[in-house]
Amino acid sequence: MSTKETILKKIEILITNHFNTPEDAFAFFDKDGDKKLSKDEIKTLLKQAEISGFIRGIVTTKLIEGYDKNNDEQISWEEFKAAIDEISK
Protein backbone atom coordinates (compact mmCIF):
# COMPACT_ATOMS: atom_id res chain seq x y z
CA MET A 1 0.00 0.00 0.00
CA SER A 2 1.45 3.39 -0.99
CA THR A 3 1.78 6.28 1.43
CA LYS A 4 -1.16 8.07 -0.23
CA GLU A 5 -3.33 4.97 0.10
CA THR A 6 -2.30 4.56 3.74
CA ILE A 7 -3.18 8.15 4.56
CA LEU A 8 -6.52 7.99 2.75
CA LYS A 9 -7.31 4.72 4.55
CA LYS A 10 -6.61 6.36 7.92
CA ILE A 11 -8.96 9.22 7.00
CA GLU A 12 -11.62 6.72 5.96
CA ILE A 13 -11.26 4.84 9.27
CA LEU A 14 -11.55 8.08 11.23
CA ILE A 15 -14.72 9.10 9.39
CA THR A 16 -16.42 5.72 9.53
CA ASN A 17 -15.52 5.00 13.17
CA HIS A 18 -16.27 8.38 14.70
CA PHE A 19 -19.03 9.95 12.60
CA ASN A 20 -22.43 8.82 11.35
CA THR A 21 -21.90 10.39 7.91
CA PRO A 22 -19.20 12.20 5.95
CA GLU A 23 -21.35 15.34 6.36
CA ASP A 24 -21.03 15.02 10.14
CA ALA A 25 -17.25 14.69 9.83
CA PHE A 26 -17.04 17.73 7.56
CA ALA A 27 -19.17 19.82 9.93
CA PHE A 28 -17.09 18.71 12.93
CA PHE A 29 -13.81 19.80 11.34
CA ASP A 30 -15.27 23.00 9.82
CA LYS A 31 -14.69 24.88 13.08
CA ASP A 32 -15.58 28.34 11.74
CA GLY A 33 -18.69 27.09 9.91
CA ASP A 34 -17.76 28.65 6.58
CA LYS A 35 -18.54 25.42 4.68
CA LYS A 36 -14.86 25.00 3.76
CA LEU A 37 -11.92 23.26 5.40
CA SER A 38 -8.91 25.54 5.80
CA LYS A 39 -5.34 24.29 6.06
CA ASP A 40 -5.54 24.37 9.85
CA GLU A 41 -8.86 22.50 9.87
CA ILE A 42 -7.40 19.85 7.54
CA LYS A 43 -4.36 19.51 9.81
CA THR A 44 -6.73 18.90 12.73
CA LEU A 45 -8.51 16.20 10.72
CA LEU A 46 -5.16 14.58 9.89
CA LYS A 47 -4.09 14.72 13.53
CA GLN A 48 -7.32 12.94 14.52
CA ALA A 49 -6.62 10.38 11.78
CA GLU A 50 -3.25 9.73 13.45
CA ILE A 51 -1.15 11.11 10.60
CA SER A 52 2.34 11.90 11.93
CA GLY A 53 3.01 15.54 12.79
CA PHE A 54 6.19 15.30 10.76
CA ILE A 55 4.30 14.88 7.48
CA ARG A 56 0.96 16.52 8.38
CA GLY A 57 1.83 19.84 6.71
CA ILE A 58 3.00 18.13 3.54
CA VAL A 59 -0.10 15.94 3.40
CA THR A 60 -2.34 18.98 3.94
CA THR A 61 -0.73 20.74 0.99
CA LYS A 62 -1.01 17.65 -1.21
CA LEU A 63 -4.67 17.11 -0.30
CA ILE A 64 -5.47 20.69 -1.21
CA GLU A 65 -3.50 20.42 -4.47
CA GLY A 66 -5.31 17.20 -5.33
CA TYR A 67 -8.89 18.08 -4.42
CA ASP A 68 -9.20 21.89 -4.49
CA LYS A 69 -10.85 22.31 -7.87
CA ASN A 70 -11.61 26.05 -7.59
CA ASN A 71 -8.08 26.95 -6.36
CA ASP A 72 -9.16 28.79 -3.20
CA GLU A 73 -6.68 26.76 -1.11
CA GLN A 74 -9.53 25.28 0.91
CA ILE A 75 -11.65 22.15 0.61
CA SER A 76 -15.38 22.75 0.10
CA TRP A 77 -18.04 20.16 0.90
CA GLU A 78 -18.21 19.17 -2.79
CA GLU A 79 -14.44 18.71 -2.93
CA PHE A 80 -14.47 16.78 0.36
CA LYS A 81 -17.23 14.53 -0.95
CA ALA A 82 -15.21 13.84 -4.12
CA ALA A 83 -12.25 12.83 -1.93
CA ILE A 84 -14.48 10.56 0.20
CA ASP A 85 -15.93 8.98 -2.93
CA GLU A 86 -12.40 8.24 -4.17
CA ILE A 87 -11.41 6.77 -0.81
CA SER A 88 -14.48 4.56 -0.76
CA LYS A 89 -13.75 2.94 -4.15
Side-chain angles (χ1 to χ4, degrees):
M1 190 177 291
S2 75
T3 302
K4 178 183 177 183
E5 290 170 335
T6 301
I7 290 167
L8 294 177
K9 189 67 175 169
K10 285 184 175 189
I11 293 170
E12 178 184 31
I13 290 167
L14 169 70
I15 291 170
T16 57
N17 287 348
H18 297 282
F19 301 96
N20 291 326
T21 65
E23 292 92 339
D24 290 345
F26 186 88
F28 178 84
F29 291 106
D30 181 20
K31 295 297 185 193
D32 60 7
D34 68 351
K35 308 287 188 229
K36 296 181 179 186
L37 297 181
S38 67
K39 286 183 179 183
D40 286 340
E41 291 166 335
I42 293 168
K43 285 179 186 175
T44 300
L45 182 154
L46 294 173
K47 183 177 181 179
Q48 291 291 320
E50 300 180 4
I51 305 302
S52 166
F54 176 72
I55 64 166
R56 207 173 293 140
I58 296 166
V59 172
T60 298
T61 300
K62 292 295 184 186
L63 285 171
I64 291 172
E65 286 174 3
Y67 295 104
D68 177 24
K69 300 305 178 196
N70 65 355
N71 297 315
D72 65 354
E73 295 192 16
Q74 298 185 67
I75 300 295
S76 68
W77 163 246
E78 294 79 18
E79 294 162 341
F80 184 81
K81 179 145 178 27
I84 296 303
D85 290 345
E86 181 180 322
I87 290 169
S88 299
K89 289 182 180 178

